[in-house]
Amino acid sequence: MIDSWLSGRTRSSLFIVGVSLVPVVMVVLMVTFLLHQSTGRAVERRIEGFVHGVQTALDGRLNYGLRLAVALAQSYSLQFRRYDEFANEAYAVVEKDADLAWIVVTDLPAEQFVFHTGRPETPAQAIPAGPNAMAQGKVVLASQKPTIFGVRTHGPNISEATVPIRTPISSAPEAGLTLTVMLRAKAMETLFQGIPETWGVAIIDGNGTVATSNQHLLFPVGKSARPETLARLANTCRPDHQHGHTTLGHHLHQIFEGVQYDRSEFVELVSCSQETGWSVVFSVPANEIHAPFRESLPLILAAGLLAMALSVGIARYFGKRLQETQALREARDAAEVANRLKNEFLANMSHELRTPLNAILGHAQLMASEAERTSNQSSEGLTQAHIEQISRSGWHLLELIEQILDFSKIEADMVEINTVPTELSSLISDCVAQLKPNADKKQVSLQVEILGIEQHWVQADPLRVRQILLNLVSNAIKYNHSGGSVRIILTDSERDKVRIAVQDTGRGMTPQQLQQLFQPFVRFVRRGEVIEGTGIGLAISRRLTESMGSKLSVSSKPDVGSEFSFELNRCEAPQADEPAQTALLERSDPVQVSDSTEVPYLIPHRPIKLLYVEDTLTNFEIVRLFLEKEFPLQLIHAADGESGLEIALREQPDLILMDMNLPGLNGIEVKHALSNSPTTAGIPVIALSANAMQVDIDRAHDAGFSGYLTKPFKLPELRETLRSFVSRILEKESFKA
């Protein structure tokens, strides 16, 4: 038993611990790698900063020598060869600037110095010019430009190395006179201040010779670099290579011929000036680049061990919670399945209840229409009152079904809220127009008071606000007395809100009744009193207001009346291109055509064709009987999606009525096929379906349906929808003619 426990629990625990350690180890390794890279890069950026700083200072020093040589060559005394006066100027300059070695004036034809600050005790005529001075002087006279030449060493004392800067004396080019400013190469070592002692730094002239350095054993002054190094320096100084840096090699002994160093690895960086042709070379021990990383490595390892220890503890903790988490996951999955099944049940129940109701109410509407034509007497002997009672009971049953299904969706948190900018004044006017016949029948006055501005724009779902108002105003009428009143008051509230209140002069409610008011299926009906309703309208209204971020409030006094109110967030009126009070696709938004309008339903040479795709024969018969009395159209029937698509492609109808739940291809699939065919893509298709869920309406809208009527449909709505589309078809045909 113990062996079995060890083989099960222990293996599972070890697996969890191992799995938890893998990401921790990977994170530690990744942090180590990134720190290694970042510390090395930081040191490299520091080296680059020193390289460019020394290069900039070197360029400034050499350019200063150029400007000084040009200024002295253009001096008044030298132009007129007054060497005594020029001597005073030259000595004064040399005394002020310790970086200057001496100033020389050379007569190239005579091959001698005319003036030399370095030898004041010797007559100028007795100082012959050396071969370097003669050669460089001829170069300057030929180019007529000041030039910086390579470093010159004077014997074994490297501290006497100088940098000659020569320029022609322009007053008499034919005389062959040049002026030379000799800079001390040793003075350039001041540019190395602040550089670590372990770093080797050298300044190399345009010929590849070391002018000065901070470590003479590494960079001997006067030593020339190898040909490979010179080639790299020349490449760095190309015009398209701006003050760049490049790695010269990994060992210092590769830079100079005949100079031996230890075999420790170095990193060399070079910066070259295109203006002067001089370079700065840095040599840094490679181990210093990653020294900060090595110093922080113990801390990284300690943090990694701590992280692994924590991960083991966390893994053990979550290992104990694994079974609980699995149980919760299974319960959540079961709840999601139940919720999905409930959603499917509601959708199917809505469809199944609406389908027979469509037959009942459709035939009742046809009978009522026929009774009106036969002096209030139908062909079966039913009176108009009986027919109205059937129709009224059917619509009331539909309202009860919709409220129960709506309440079930709210309880399952499946209520759909679509908030858009909504104008309340027109919405309230529509509600009043719909409920005014009920108020007149009860002899209750219905009033609207809009205080403040004429239009009140709020961010809300217009369909849900309409549903709330219809419920509140309908209750205010039903529970009122003859001669009473109902007022709908629209006012601006504080905090950028708009307040909607429904006041009545009805029977009112006691405090005990107010406590039970919003409970489902609770109704306050007196004995012997018959008032239609389900008792869930206020519960639905309260949940809908909460879904829009509001709260339904109530105040009431017995025998005085009640007031229901809620607030909505105010918003700005939308621009012309923004959606406002978006009408969900419940109908085709038909053009209003009065009953007296005569519409010629015959296109020249052929009648208008209407294809109705419907699998339930009863629903088709209702539409057929209705069209026979209202619209002399050529009606074509298809019992399923495949035959409907085939007939549409063959007959090319002008208008299509489409059921959504069809055997074989459903309505959405048929519409996609019609849209993909060039011959049927432009035919308007109106959905006529018992699917009343908003998701079904949105799906039809996205598929390209021109309108959507829900079953049971009202014949006046179907009449106005068909008239609208027929008018558009006739108008289109008239343009073609």
Side-chain angles (χ1 to χ4, degrees):
M1 180 177 178
I2 296 178
D3 294 340
S4 176
W5 182 84
L6 287 174
S7 61
R9 292 285 300 273
T10 304
R11 288 180 181 178
S12 177
S13 300
L14 290 175
F15 175 76
I16 295 174
V17 170
V19 170
S20 65
L21 284 177
V22 169
V24 175
V25 173
M26 292 182 65
V27 169
V28 171
L29 293 176
M30 181 62 68
V31 170
T32 304
F33 173 76
L34 293 177
L35 185 59
H36 180 271
Q37 295 294 321
S38 62
T39 54
R41 184 55 187 157
V43 175
E44 289 177 2
R45 286 195 296 268
R46 184 186 177 203
I47 298 173
E48 292 174 1
F50 276 116
V51 170
H52 295 311
V54 173
Q55 181 69 68
T56 302
L58 175 62
D59 289 348
R61 185 68 57 86
L62 295 176
N63 286 327
Y64 162 74
L66 279 174
R67 292 192 300 271
L68 178 61
V70 172
L72 290 173
Q74 295 176 352
S75 66
Y76 178 82
S77 58
L78 191 58
Q79 292 289 325
F80 289 94
R81 301 188 184 184
R82 297 177 181 177
Y83 298 122
D84 294 338
E85 297 179 10
F86 177 74
N88 296 330
E89 299 176 11
Y91 284 122
V93 172
V94 172
E95 290 177 0
K96 290 181 180 179
D97 192 345
D99 294 347
L100 293 179
W102 53 78
I103 299 173
V104 180
V105 177
T106 307
D107 185 349
L108 295 181
E111 298 184 2
Q112 63 183 8
F113 297 131
V114 177
F115 173 77
H116 197 308
T117 58
R119 299 182 182 180
E121 72 285 351
T122 306
Q125 292 78 3
I127 305 175
N132 285 337
M134 294 297 297
Q136 294 174 1
K138 291 178 181 180
V139 172
V140 170
L141 285 178
S143 64
Q144 286 295 304
K145 293 181 180 179
T147 305
I148 302 173
F149 291 93
V151 65
R152 288 186 60 190
T153 56
H154 305 276
N157 190 358
I158 61 174
S159 63
E160 296 298 326
T162 57
V163 179
I165 301 176
R166 304 182 190 276
T167 182
I169 299 176
S170 58
S171 63
E174 68 282 356
L177 297 178
T178 62
L179 181 136
T180 304
V181 173
M182 306 293 283
L183 299 179
R184 298 182 188 277
K186 182 71 173 178
M188 295 181 181
E189 293 182 6
T190 58
L191 304 179
F192 305 151
Q193 294 180 357
I195 297 176
E197 295 180 356
T198 56
W199 295 8
V201 188
I203 295 176
I204 300 177
D205 63 19
N207 299 323
T209 303
V210 177
T212 186
S213 69
N214 67 339
Q215 296 187 17
H216 299 296
L217 293 178
L218 296 178
F219 298 104
V221 175
K223 189 70 175 179
S224 295
R226 299 177 60 190
E228 294 84 351
T229 305
L230 293 176
R232 282 193 167 184
L233 291 175
N235 182 63
T236 306
C237 289
R238 287 185 293 109
D240 59 343
H241 207 290
Q242 295 183 356
H243 285 287
H245 65 274
T246 180
T247 301
L248 290 179
H250 293 290
H251 300 284
L252 275 177
H253 74 279
Q254 296 180 351
I255 298 180
F256 301 102
E257 293 283 2
V259 180
Q260 299 297 325
Y261 308 97
D262 57 14
R263 300 291 293 181
S264 60
E265 191 173 87
F266 286 79
V267 175
E268 286 78 38
L269 285 87
V270 62
S271 176
C272 182
S273 172
Q274 299 175 19
E275 184 177 1
T276 63
W278 285 49
S279 304
V280 176
V281 177
F282 269 65
S283 180
V284 181
N287 57 7
E288 290 193 18
I289 294 181
H290 300 293
F293 168 75
R294 289 194 301 273
E295 294 174 358
S296 58
L297 187 59
L299 181 61
I300 297 175
L301 294 178
L305 292 175
L306 178 61
M308 286 188 285
L310 290 175
S311 67
V312 171
I314 294 173
R316 294 182 62 185
Y317 170 77
F318 281 102
K320 295 178 181 179
R321 299 293 300 274
L322 184 61
Q323 292 182 347
E324 298 178 8
T325 304
Q326 182 65 25
L328 291 175
R329 185 182 297 109
E330 293 176 355
R332 182 198 63 191
D333 294 341
E336 291 178 352
V337 171
N339 191 36
R340 186 178 68 255
L341 293 175
K342 184 175 183 179
N343 190 16
E344 294 175 355
F345 168 77
L346 291 175
N348 294 333
M349 183 61 65
S350 175
H351 180 271
E352 295 303 320
L353 291 174
R354 285 172 177 273
T355 299
L357 275 176
N358 183 63
I360 296 172
L361 293 175
H363 283 292
Q365 292 179 85
L366 290 174
M367 293 168 63
S369 177
E370 182 65 22
E372 291 179 357
R373 290 184 172 86
T374 58
S375 302
N376 296 328
Q377 184 69 28
S378 69
S379 59
E380 286 80 10
L382 293 176
T383 65
Q384 179 69 20
H386 292 158
I387 298 173
E388 290 180 355
Q389 182 63 34
I390 295 174
S391 180
R392 185 167 55 252
S393 299
W395 290 117
H396 180 60
L397 177 60
L398 177 62
E399 181 183 358
L400 295 180
I401 292 172
E402 288 181 340
Q403 285 191 352
I404 292 174
L405 293 177
D406 208 6
F407 181 73
S408 300
K409 287 190 293 183
I410 291 176
E411 288 296 313
D413 290 329
M414 293 187 298
V415 62
E416 299 164 346
I417 300 296
N418 181 29
T419 60
V420 295
T422 303
E423 204 285 301
L424 290 177
S425 303
S426 58
L427 190 147
I428 292 175
S429 299
D430 292 341
C431 295
V432 170
Q434 181 174 343
L435 294 176
K436 195 173 187 310
N438 297 347
D440 294 341
K441 185 176 180 180
K442 192 78 180 278
Q443 295 182 354
V444 173
S445 65
L446 193 55
Q447 306 169 7
V448 177
E449 298 181 11
I450 300 178
L451 306 179
I453 60 178
E454 182 177 353
Q455 290 186 330
H456 292 76
W457 288 90
V458 294
Q459 191 74 19
D461 187 329
L463 290 182
R464 298 305 183 181
V465 175
R466 178 187 178 90
Q467 182 178 355
I468 296 169
L469 286 175
L470 288 176
N471 181 266
L472 296 179
V473 177
S474 177
N475 286 344
I477 295 173
K478 289 189 295 185
Y479 292 93
N480 216 317
H481 57 81
S482 179
S485 64
V486 175
R487 299 166 60 204
I488 305 175
I489 305 173
L490 189 61
T491 58
D492 289 332
S493 180
E494 298 179 355
R495 304 179 305 277
D496 291 331
K497 294 182 179 294
V498 177
R499 184 175 185 269
I500 306 171
V502 177
Q503 297 179 354
D504 65 68
T505 59
R507 63 184 62 173
M509 290 171 285
T510 64
Q512 293 76 16
Q513 290 176 327
L514 289 176
Q515 293 179 356
Q516 307 175 26
L517 180 62
F518 294 107
Q519 295 181 10
F521 308 107
V522 173
R523 304 181 69 215
F524 305 127
V525 181
R526 296 172 181 174
R527 179 174 297 181
E529 190 176 41
V530 178
I531 298 179
E532 294 180 348
T534 60
I536 60 176
L538 285 177
I540 293 175
S541 299
R542 185 178 191 180
R543 294 291 295 273
L544 290 178
T545 54
E546 291 174 352
S547 299
M548 290 186 291
S550 183
K551 180 180 180 182
L552 183 60
S553 303
V554 59
S555 61
S556 182
K557 291 184 179 180
D559 302 323
V560 176
S562 304
E563 178 184 277
F564 290 82
S565 64
F566 60 97
E567 295 180 343
L568 297 173
N569 292 324
R570 185 187 294 111
C571 70
E572 297 293 332
Q575 302 297 325
D577 56 346
E578 295 181 5
Q581 204 165 336
T582 304
L584 300 175
L585 193 62
E586 291 185 323
R587 60 179 65 188
S588 59
D589 192 18
V591 175
Q592 298 298 326
V593 182
S594 64
D595 294 337
S596 61
T597 302
E598 295 292 337
V599 181
Y601 298 114
L602 296 178
I603 297 176
H605 309 298
R606 69 172 180 86
I608 293 178
K609 295 180 182 180
L610 173 62
L611 172 62
Y612 185 17
V613 186
E614 172 63 66
D615 61 320
T616 303
L617 186 60
T618 302
N619 293 335
F620 171 73
E621 285 298 319
I622 293 174
V623 174
R624 184 186 65 80
L625 294 172
F626 168 72
L627 291 179
E628 285 182 355
K629 298 179 176 63
E630 299 285 342
F631 293 88
L633 306 176
Q634 180 182 348
L635 180 62
I636 307 172
H637 178 229
D640 54 57
E642 287 86 350
S643 61
L645 178 60
E646 180 182 352
I647 294 173
L649 294 172
R650 184 180 69 248
E651 298 292 336
Q652 295 293 302
D654 301 289
L655 183 63
I656 299 176
L657 292 178
M658 181 79 67
D659 187 24
M660 303 304 287
N661 284 347
L662 294 169
L665 295 177
N666 60 38
I668 297 292
E669 293 171 337
V670 175
K671 181 63 179 72
H672 284 317
L674 293 172
S675 300
N676 293 331
S677 175
T679 59
T680 57
I683 300 176
V685 182
I686 303 172
L688 194 60
S689 174
N691 294 338
M693 304 290 283
Q694 187 59 46
V695 62
D696 298 316
I697 299 174
D698 293 339
R699 190 180 296 116
H701 179 273
D702 295 338
F705 279 81
S706 302
Y708 199 103
L709 295 176
T710 57
K711 300 174 184 177
F713 54 83
K714 295 181 180 180
L715 291 182
E717 291 184 1
L718 179 60
R719 179 189 301 115
E720 294 303 321
T721 300
L722 291 178
R723 283 186 176 181
S724 170
F725 280 97
V726 168
S727 299
R728 297 173 190 174
I729 294 170
L730 294 175
E731 182 179 1
K732 182 178 180 181
E733 291 294 332
S734 65
F735 282 132
K736 291 182 180 179

